[in-house]
Amino acid sequence: MQEASKTTILVVDDEPTVARLVADVLRMAGYQVLVAFGAEEALRLCDQAPAPVDLVISDMVMPDMPGKRLCQRLARNGRTRFSLLMSGYTESYGPRDGEGPALPLLLKPFTMPELLKTVESILAGAPDS
């Protein structure tokens, strides 16, 4: 596993307060963090990044593109290594979503220790989903 200071995480949420809070917690834990307030901005940031992002944490429901589709697109383009979805909605997620395998999901509201534990687990290659 990489040390936190060499790990880049992209946080994507159309709700700026949530995105900034998650980003602040991750920065306090020593991660390098990029923030996007929607899928299109996230795609731009990843295209401009000098290296692939280690982890993208995306809200599942956003107006410009569902988080799962964003994560899959970034992974397919080789721009991210791991993905984590976060959401307060679970009824639209699961086997019936029909868009490939399920991604790890962190349900809102979550605590900051839960966020950090989940991130560490995913980066270690053994996601807690």
Side-chain angles (χ1 to χ4, degrees):
M1 183 173 91
Q2 294 178 217
E3 63 181 84
S5 65
K6 295 183 183 195
T7 301
T8 302
I9 299 175
L10 171 62
V11 177
V12 187
D13 198 306
D14 60 312
E15 176 54 54
T17 304
V18 173
R20 288 186 185 111
L21 178 62
V22 170
D24 287 348
V25 169
L26 294 169
R27 283 187 187 111
M28 286 189 294
Y31 295 103
Q32 295 178 9
V33 182
L34 304 171
V35 179
F37 302 118
E40 292 303 321
E41 185 179 1
L43 291 167
R44 249 188 334 275
L45 282 173
C46 283
D47 283 344
Q48 296 168 354
V53 169
D54 296 292
L55 173 65
V56 59
I57 300 174
S58 178
D59 188 22
M60 193 168 75
V61 178
M62 296 185 292
D64 55 347
M65 180 186 302
K68 185 172 182 181
R69 187 174 307 146
L70 170 66
C71 291
Q72 290 171 330
R73 185 168 163 185
L74 290 170
R76 196 172 40 248
N77 294 342
R79 302 307 301 154
T80 59
R81 293 180 52 227
F82 297 104
S83 299
L84 170 63
L85 294 174
M86 54 184 176
S87 181
Y89 305 101
T90 58
E91 61 275 355
S92 63
Y93 186 75
R96 71 172 191 255
D97 66 12
E99 293 185 32
L103 296 174
L105 176 64
L106 186 60
L107 294 176
K108 295 176 186 176
F110 50 82
T111 66
M112 297 308 114
E114 288 172 322
L115 170 66
L116 293 174
K117 179 181 177 215
T118 302
V119 166
E120 290 166 8
S121 176
I122 290 171
L123 291 170
D128 279 335
S129 42

